[in-house]
Each structure stands twice: as structure tokens, then as C-alpha cells.
Amino acid sequence: MENTEKIAQRGGFMKGLKDGLPIGLGYLPISLACGIMAAKVGMPFKFAELLSLLIYSGSGQVAAQTLYAGMETSILMYALTIFVMNCRYILFSISIAQRFDKSMGTLQRIIFGFFNTDEIYVVAMKQQGELGAPYLFGICVCPYLGFLIGNTAGILFTNFLPKSVTSALGIMIYAMFIALIIPPAKHSKPVAIVTLIALAMSFMMECIPAIKTHLQPGLIIIICAVVTATIGAIAFPVKQESENPGTNDEGGAVNE
């Protein structure tokens, strides 16, 4: 009988490539919007391309572009802001690492950690058995290429597209965030409350002149993210599964 723990490795790289194709196609419009936004805030082409290579995250791209538009020059502020925006990947990495094939080396784990995203995590975790390096690297190819191609196209063709098109595509990234927030907020009261707190804090810090004058854009993003996450963690702690087996707690996270 075939060892069921090795099922996910059957097909290896090609199976991963096939599973990652829909993710890559889905990244094209979002990364295109990121590229258009980079061009609109005046990022030089080489700098924007470097960001798309190193910051493999839509939210990270928006944070970096916001800092650039605010004339932020500190590399530390860029790094700290993007870390806070994407620290959820620490939890993703801890979770998926439990499923890695024991033969995966440290370097392979680090490389996959860079390419891992929300969608790749979900698709990979749905596989049966252990996750081998060929499959994991295969699933990363199309999403990363889609992200790079979309960013590059957005940066290059912004000036050649009609303003009506660039305006529509420019708000796509905000539509993505709304689409990510609204569904869980509708089904979870804690998510809705935390989202409203984040909106209120962001609005207050952007509109009060004293705060806007003395705090850099990166610090505003960090403060809103950290304070909101802390309030959510204290007010709505996730219960252990053993306390309520077989059901989803209202405050628990649900993978979409």
C-alpha cells in the first residue's frame, strides 16, 4: 500500500506548477494596480521594480508607496512598517512547517518562506500528506511571475493608458482590501468591531493636524496596526478548540 504521507509529493514540481497557475492569474490585476499606484506617486522605474522583486505582498507594496509619497527616506521605517503589515506570515510559516517533508533543508525552508503567500498557504495546506520541496517550489512559480509581470506592466504602461482606465485600475487595490475585510466582518462581530476601530484610529490620526505634523506616515500605519491588533487580541481571544469542539468560535479566524 502506498504511504499516504507521501501523497502530496506525487507529481512534484509539475503538480505544484499546475496548482499555482490560478493564483498567478489572480495576482495579475492586483499587481497591475500596485504598478499603476507606484507610477502615480512618482517612483523611479528601477526603484519600483526593486520593490516588486523584494516586497512580495500587495499590502507591503501599498505601505511602501504610501511612505514614498510622504517623502519617507529611512530604510528602517520601510522595513518596520512592512514587517508590521505582514507579520501574519510568521504564523503561516510556523503552521505550514509542521507539514514539510523531513528531508527539506534549512535553505529550502528559507527560500519557500520568502515566496509563501496567503493563497499559496491555503492551497498547500489542503494537500494530503507531507509537503515536499519540488511541490512547494512549483506552486510558487506562477504567483511570483504574475506578481512581477503585473507590477512591471502597471509601471510601464500607466502613461499610455487612458486616464479613465488608470483611475479605475488605481482603486482596484483598495477594492481588494475591502473585499478581504467585508466578508469576515459580516460573519464575525469581533472582526467587524476591530475593523471599525482601525478605521476610526486611521481617520483620527490622518485628520488631526498635530498628529499628522509630528508623526511620519510609517509610524501612523504601525501605531494603527499594533494598537488595533492588541485591542482585538485582548477583547476577543480565540478559544481553544477543545473548549468548543466541532464548531467555529465567533472570534476565531476562518480561512477564506
Side-chain angles (χ1 to χ4, degrees):
M1 180 180 295
E2 182 181 8
N3 186 349
T4 57
E5 292 185 353
K6 301 298 181 180
I7 290 178
Q9 297 188 56
R10 185 170 54 206
F13 183 84
M14 294 307 298
K15 184 179 187 303
L17 200 65
K18 181 180 178 181
D19 289 349
L21 180 58
I23 302 175
L25 294 175
Y27 282 0
L28 281 173
I30 300 302
S31 57
L32 181 65
C34 287
I36 291 174
M37 188 173 176
K40 284 186 173 182
V41 300
M43 275 190 180
F45 176 77
K46 290 183 178 180
F47 183 53
E49 277 294 282
L50 180 63
L51 283 181
S52 66
L53 284 168
L54 298 179
I55 304 176
Y56 183 31
S57 162
S59 58
Q61 289 276 320
V62 172
Q65 291 159 0
T66 302
L67 293 178
Y68 185 87
M71 306 301 291
E72 176 61 59
T73 58
S74 171
I75 299 297
L76 178 61
M77 184 58 65
Y78 279 86
L80 185 58
T81 303
I82 294 168
F83 171 78
V84 171
M85 293 288 291
N86 293 284
C87 60
R88 68 186 183 280
Y89 289 115
I90 297 175
L91 301 178
F92 287 173
S93 297
I94 294 173
S95 174
I96 199 170
Q98 310 302 313
R99 297 278 308 280
F100 285 169
D101 179 8
K102 302 301 185 295
S103 65
M104 282 188 65
T106 302
L107 180 59
Q108 291 177 318
R109 292 167 182 254
I110 292 174
I111 293 173
F112 174 75
F114 172 80
F115 290 104
N116 189 25
T117 66
D118 305 65
E119 294 77 14
I120 289 175
Y121 170 82
V122 171
V123 173
M125 289 296 285
K126 286 183 178 180
Q127 305 303 310
Q128 295 181 355
E130 294 181 345
L131 300 170
Y135 174 81
L136 292 173
F137 291 148
I139 200 175
C140 292
V141 173
C142 291
Y144 190 65
L145 288 179
F147 190 78
L148 290 181
I149 292 170
N151 264 283
T152 303
I155 297 166
L156 290 177
F157 299 127
T158 298
N159 295 329
F160 301 99
L161 293 173
K163 288 187 177 180
S164 58
V165 176
T166 57
S167 297
L169 290 173
I171 64 173
M172 185 183 296
I173 192 71
Y174 302 106
M176 178 195 72
F177 290 130
I178 293 173
L180 289 174
I181 292 171
I182 295 301
K186 288 173 63 177
H187 294 90
S188 173
K189 184 178 179 181
V191 173
I193 292 174
V194 170
T195 300
L196 291 175
I197 293 173
L199 288 172
M201 281 196 62
S202 179
F203 180 79
M204 178 188 69
M205 299 187 79
E206 288 288 342
C207 293
I208 297 177
I211 295 178
K212 185 71 173 178
T213 302
H214 294 91
L215 292 182
Q216 299 172 326
L219 282 176
I220 292 177
I221 295 174
I222 292 171
I223 291 172
C224 287
V226 172
V227 172
T228 304
T230 302
I231 292 173
I234 294 174
F236 308 107
V238 178
K239 296 181 180 179
Q240 296 295 326
E241 292 183 2
S242 58
E243 295 181 13
N244 204 3
T247 62
N248 284 330
D249 182 72
E250 186 182 20
V254 178
N255 285 329
E256 294 293 327

